[in-house]
Amino acid sequence: TEIKFGKKDARLDLLVERLSFEDPVLAANSRHSSADILAAIKRYQARNGIPEDGRAGTDTLTALNVPAAYRAAQIAANMERWRWMPAQMEPRYVAVNVPDQSLAYVEDGETILTSRVIVGRKASPTPILRTSVVAVIANPPWNIPGDIAARDLLPHLRKSANYLAARHMVLTDGPAGDPYGRTIDWRKIVPAEFPYAIQQLPGPDTALGALMLDSPNDFDVYLHDTPNKKRFDSSEREISNGCVRVQQIFALASLALTGDAEEGMSRLNETAKSRQTKRLPLNRPLPVYFLYWTAFAGPDGAVSFRPDRYGRDAPLIAAL
């Protein structure tokens, strides 16, 4: 349960002692007011990717109670992940840290842009991957993977023959003259053998939003926009089918096309407003790294930790 200030809670002294182990500001002060403790909690929360509310609630206490030995093992596991990286990074690249639900555009060692992102849920995790953006697609159609169609769409299709039409979706290989699959008996379709290709056409409600960064890869994961912007306000954004939705997608696309966050903005806005699908090739490919850092050093050298969203740390720690 939460440790509250202003009440006689035997754990409060233990909380201060625990925070002081890794907070030199708090450790240097022998007398601790409620304001001092609140500020120390917020600093701890910031280092550990917890909403900075200054409260010693469940998430904060859970993180504080992780044994130091396990944290050391996590650091070792992430050092191993660094070993998988190139010895020299490209002059410019995009790095997505899935556990942190964040993206950074880096040029000449300097972070030019950061953004919140939405990442894959546990059932469809975002992979560890290096790929390259070769073009920006304005008003992209969404070619829905067969496994997603079988899992998410087929139950609705069995109930309503108008499901595809109502959601601006079509069959690209369906019966002649029946783009919405109204003549198909969907109850007879076996999910494991889903036979049709479904595409969601461009529009305000398309899952990919107004922009997608085209980076062909074996996992079919991409950086793209989303029509549901409110999702970015949540502290937990582990909800996609594996692709990464980017809050600052227009600024990122401008950087990819022109090297500047503003220079390409008018062109992108005009192209998006046309509602027509258009491919805007990059002058040079932009490397993208989908990474899994559950422990990393900040600019001041302090170590930050993030949730092991997909349970990838334990097998790696065991292997090491």
Side-chain angles (χ1 to χ4, degrees), residues 18-288:
R18 171 63 182 84
L19 289 168
S20 297
F21 279 126
E22 53 187 287
D23 191 317
V25 175
L26 190 67
N29 187 358
S30 59
R31 298 175 64 88
H32 308 108
S33 67
S34 293
D36 293 333
I37 301 171
L38 185 145
I41 291 174
K42 284 187 175 181
R43 289 192 292 270
Y44 179 84
Q45 290 170 332
R47 291 195 304 274
N48 288 274
I50 302 169
E52 297 169 45
D53 58 10
R55 298 174 62 175
T58 301
D59 290 344
T60 300
L61 293 177
T62 298
L64 284 165
N65 283 318
V66 174
Y70 189 79
R71 289 304 196 198
Q74 267 191 300
I75 292 171
N78 282 273
M79 290 174 69
E80 170 65 12
R81 291 187 180 113
W82 267 113
R83 199 174 64 81
W84 306 343
M85 298 291 289
Q88 181 69 42
M89 300 293 283
E90 295 85 352
R92 66 169 193 154
Y93 62 90
V94 174
V96 177
N97 184 6
V98 172
D100 190 43
Q101 304 170 123
S102 68
L103 171 149
Y105 177 97
V106 180
E107 187 166 1
D108 295 330
E110 181 182 355
T111 299
I112 306 298
L113 174 76
T114 60
S115 176
R116 287 187 164 204
V117 300
I118 290 168
V119 299
R121 63 175 72 93
K122 287 180 177 61
S124 51
T126 301
I128 297 175
L129 169 72
R130 182 200 181 279
T131 182
S132 292
V133 177
V134 295
V136 175
I137 309 296
N139 302 306
W142 182 31
N143 296 312
I144 303 172
D147 59 334
I148 295 176
R151 183 186 68 229
D152 297 343
L153 305 187
L154 185 56
H156 297 287
L157 287 165
R158 287 171 172 170
K159 295 177 181 178
S160 172
N162 290 314
Y163 182 81
L164 294 181
R167 282 152 185 82
H168 212 43
M169 297 178 181
V170 296
L171 297 174
T172 59
D173 59 352
D178 184 21
Y180 302 118
R182 291 190 175 105
T183 63
I184 296 171
D185 187 351
W186 293 103
R187 290 169 298 182
K188 293 182 178 179
I189 301 298
V190 178
E193 302 171 1
F194 195 83
Y196 298 109
I198 298 177
Q199 183 181 84
Q200 187 176 35
L201 301 174
D205 297 323
T206 303
L208 300 183
L211 297 177
M212 182 189 84
L213 304 191
D214 188 19
S215 53
N217 62 83
D218 292 340
F219 295 92
D220 288 330
V221 294
Y222 303 93
L223 303 173
H224 64 82
D225 186 25
T226 176
N228 193 348
K229 304 294 193 292
K230 288 187 177 180
R231 294 280 196 171
F232 291 114
D233 295 335
S234 173
S235 60
E236 286 301 321
R237 301 185 295 278
E238 187 186 303
I239 56 174
S240 84
N241 287 310
C243 285
V244 173
R245 308 172 198 174
V246 183
Q247 187 173 34
Q248 301 294 332
I249 189 67
F250 274 80
L252 180 61
S254 178
L255 281 163
L257 286 168
T258 70
D260 184 271
E262 296 293 336
E263 186 177 333
M265 200 65 80
S266 59
R267 180 188 181 194
L268 289 168
N269 282 318
E270 289 175 11
T271 307
K273 287 176 182 177
S274 74
R275 299 288 177 90
Q276 300 297 313
T277 300
K278 187 169 182 180
R279 181 182 178 88
L280 308 174
L282 271 59
N283 292 329
R284 53 188 174 128
L286 174 62
V288 178

